[in-house]
Amino acid sequence: MMDFAQLATFQAVIDTGSFEAAARELHVTPSAVSQRIKALERSVGQVLVRRAKPCVATSAGEALVRFAGQVKLLEQEALGQARDGTRISIVVNADSLHTWFLPALATIKGPQFELHTDDEFHTADLLRSGMAMAAVTADEEVVQGCRIEPLGAMRYLACGRPADDTMILYNRKDRLQHRIAPDKSEMSIHYVPSASAFIEAIRLGLGWGVVPEWIAREDIAAGLYQDLGRHLDVPLYWQYWRIDSEVLEELTAAVKAAAAPFLRT
C-alpha cells in the first residue's frame, strides 16, 4: 500500500520545484522530505524525481503526479474542504484565455485557480505530465485517465492589409498562419507572444495574422484592418481528470456554457 505522507511530499516537491520549498510548505525539515522521497522511490522501484533546478518528475513519476493530485482533491472533497482554497491547475490556449474562458472561472466559488497557457496543439502535454487537472486543447486524442468533451470550433479570420508580406506569429509553436498562408517561399515573421499585443500588432500594420472572428468582426467594421478572405476553424476540446470530483464536474459545466456563445458547433 502506498504511503500517503510520502505521496503528498512527492507532490509538494514537484509543485514547488525543490526539496527546501516542499519542506517549508509541509512544515518539516528538508532531510525529512529527502527521506520520504527516497522511501517512495524504493517502494515503487524507480526514480521519480529528477534532482534539478527546478525538480521535475521523471517519466516514471509523471503518472504518480496525477495520482497524487487526484488523491488530494478527493480527500479534500471528502472532508468538505474543496471549497476552501483547493488549487485547480488548468492549461488553456492564449486565445481562449483572452476571450471566453475566464467567465467560466468566475462562476466557481472557493477553489484557487492556477492557469497555464500554451499553444492549443500542445496544451494536452501538461495534462499528460500530471501537472494540470484540465485543459482546453485542440488535441482530440484522449489523454490516459481523462475524459473529453467537445467545445466547438474557434474560427479565425486572416486579417491585415492586402499588401502585407510579413506574418505575425504568437511564438515558434504557432502554426495557424502557415495553414492558410498564401503560397510564398519567402515571408518575414514577427513573433509577438501576447494575445492582446498580437492583435494590436496587426492593427498597427506590422503584418497579417489570424484573429478570433468575434474580435476580427468588430475591428474590421471599425476600419482597423481588412478581412483577407481566408479563414480557419480549429476544433477545441475540454479534457479533465476522470475522477468523481464535484468541483471538476461543476467546472466542466461552466466551461461548456462559457464556450457555447463563442465557438462554432
Side-chain angles (χ1 to χ4, degrees):
M1 175 179 267
M2 193 161 289
D3 185 300
F4 288 106
Q6 295 172 3
L7 194 62
T9 302
F10 169 71
Q11 184 184 35
V13 169
I14 300 304
D15 285 348
T16 63
S18 75
F19 283 45
E20 293 76 14
R24 289 193 294 271
E25 181 174 290
L26 297 172
H27 306 292
V28 298
T29 66
S31 177
V33 169
S34 180
Q35 290 171 12
R36 290 178 186 178
I37 296 300
K38 288 178 181 178
L40 182 62
E41 290 177 328
R42 282 197 301 270
S43 70
V44 300
Q46 298 186 79
V47 176
L48 301 173
V49 179
R50 184 174 296 113
R51 278 72 167 173
K53 293 184 179 180
C55 291
V56 294
T58 63
S59 297
E62 287 183 352
L64 201 59
V65 172
R66 182 167 63 244
F67 178 67
Q70 291 173 347
V71 168
K72 182 177 181 179
L73 178 59
L74 292 175
E75 180 183 36
Q76 289 173 323
E77 291 194 347
L79 295 173
Q81 299 172 349
R83 302 295 180 179
D84 188 26
T86 298
R87 182 175 59 84
I88 306 295
S89 178
I90 306 168
V91 58
V92 57
N93 63 307
D95 288 325
S96 292
L97 185 61
H98 181 58
T99 51
W100 62 267
F101 186 78
L102 286 177
L105 303 188
T107 68
I108 311 297
K109 305 303 179 185
Q112 299 175 18
F113 294 105
E114 180 178 355
L115 299 182
H116 307 269
T117 187
D118 204 343
D119 182 87
E120 55 267 31
F121 291 95
H122 295 270
T123 48
D125 293 344
L126 209 59
L127 194 60
R128 290 187 180 91
S129 74
M131 294 302 293
M133 300 177 181
V136 175
T137 178
D139 190 345
E140 62 182 333
E141 180 181 347
V142 184
V143 174
Q144 184 177 6
C146 292
R147 296 187 176 102
I148 188 169
E149 301 273 358
L151 296 175
M154 179 175 283
R155 172 161 291 187
Y156 292 91
L157 304 184
C159 298
R161 299 189 172 110
D164 282 340
D165 58 1
T166 298
M167 190 162 53
I168 310 292
L169 300 183
Y170 187 81
N171 57 29
R172 294 182 184 274
K173 292 181 180 178
D174 182 7
R175 305 297 295 178
L176 292 183
Q177 279 72 207
H178 291 84
R179 294 170 65 177
I180 56 172
D183 185 17
K184 292 184 178 179
S185 58
E186 296 289 338
M187 185 170 289
S188 300
I189 296 173
H190 294 311
Y191 294 98
V192 185
S194 158
S196 57
F198 178 97
I199 295 169
E200 185 62 17
I202 297 172
R203 290 170 179 160
L204 292 172
L206 288 175
W208 74 273
V210 295
V211 180
E213 68 172 329
W214 52 92
I215 296 175
R217 298 294 185 198
E218 293 184 2
D219 284 355
I220 291 167
L224 299 178
Y225 45 67
Q226 297 180 42
D227 181 348
L228 299 180
R230 305 185 299 276
H231 74 268
L232 177 67
D233 288 341
V234 179
L236 294 177
Y237 304 88
W238 174 246
Q239 293 209 44
Y240 62 104
W241 285 351
R242 191 174 62 237
I243 58 175
D244 293 327
S245 164
E246 178 184 327
V247 170
L248 285 182
E249 291 298 336
E250 184 178 344
L251 177 60
T252 295
V255 167
K256 292 171 68 176
F262 292 93
L263 303 184
R264 291 174 171 254
T265 56

